Amino acid sequence: MNQKVYATPRGALMARVRQRNTVPELKVRRLLHAHGWRYQLHPNDLPGTPDIIFRPRRKAIFVHGCFWHAHEGCRLATVPKTRTDVWRKKFKDNRKRDSAKVQALADLGWSVLTVWQCETADEESLLEKLTSFLSLAPVREGKVSPNG
Ligand SMILES: [Zn+2]
């Protein structure tokens, strides 16, 4: 039994395909919509297929589950007691993939916000976070000035 085993074909598939329309993501979308923000979902033409984008503003949002994306220091980011090494590696890979996506988008001149599942519990602070992100002036491609 030294063979590397994926639980099921579906399990292997789920490992590749990021989950969409999760509860935290729907919360973020509902909140944005209620406050008049219009957005596009899961655009296939952008690296990493962000969950929510505001194309004219070049803003992208990822909504991450704290468990799957191993939110650092978060009580929801637990490591299962069995096959711990496998999980740790998986979480590490997920985090690496997440930061590669952010970098790829930044290279195209997009600003990226990551919203964590645990942050969606408090709607008021979530709205504040979203609003300040969306209100920032867009970053121009290849020209980042700290003073705007
Ligand atoms: Zn968290």
Side-chain angles (χ1 to χ4, degrees):
M1 290 284 278
N2 288 327
Q3 195 187 350
K4 195 169 187 177
V5 177
Y6 290 103
T8 58
R10 183 173 161 76
L13 182 73
M14 291 305 285
R16 279 191 297 111
V17 180
R18 219 155 45 87
Q19 279 184 298
R20 293 179 178 173
N21 308 314
T22 58
V23 171
E25 187 185 328
L26 294 176
K27 265 194 193 177
V28 172
R29 277 154 53 176
R30 190 164 37 81
L31 196 60
L32 286 167
H33 194 267
H35 288 82
W37 295 99
R38 294 299 175 259
Y39 45 79
Q40 188 188 339
L41 301 174
H42 315 131
N44 289 319
D45 62 330
L46 286 178
T49 316
D51 295 313
I52 302 165
I53 65 153
F54 301 80
R55 201 178 283 276
R57 293 167 184 266
R58 288 199 188 201
K59 309 265 184 177
I61 297 176
F62 288 102
V63 184
H64 284 345
C66 297
F67 175 76
W68 288 107
H69 296 267
H71 188 197
E72 258 179 295
C74 176
R75 67 182 173 80
L76 300 176
T78 55
V79 180
K81 297 273 185 265
T82 56
R83 305 178 79 210
T84 303
D85 290 352
V86 177
W87 282 104
R88 281 196 198 285
K89 185 182 181 312
K90 183 171 181 53
F91 291 146
K92 202 177 155 197
D93 290 347
N94 285 351
R95 289 190 65 96
K96 212 190 280 178
R97 201 175 305 127
D98 290 341
S99 52
K101 289 176 187 177
V102 171
Q103 187 56 56
L105 285 161
D107 289 347
L108 293 175
W110 284 68
S111 313
V112 182
L113 176 72
T114 298
V115 174
W116 292 94
Q117 173 189 358
C118 62
E119 294 175 321
T120 62
D122 182 347
E123 274 199 8
E124 205 173 309
S125 65
L126 176 62
L127 180 63
E128 205 177 294
K129 183 175 175 152
L130 294 168
T131 306
S132 63
F133 171 68
L134 292 170
S135 307
L136 287 172
V139 179
R140 273 187 200 84
E141 199 174 350
K143 186 186 164 213
V144 182
S145 159
N147 301 316

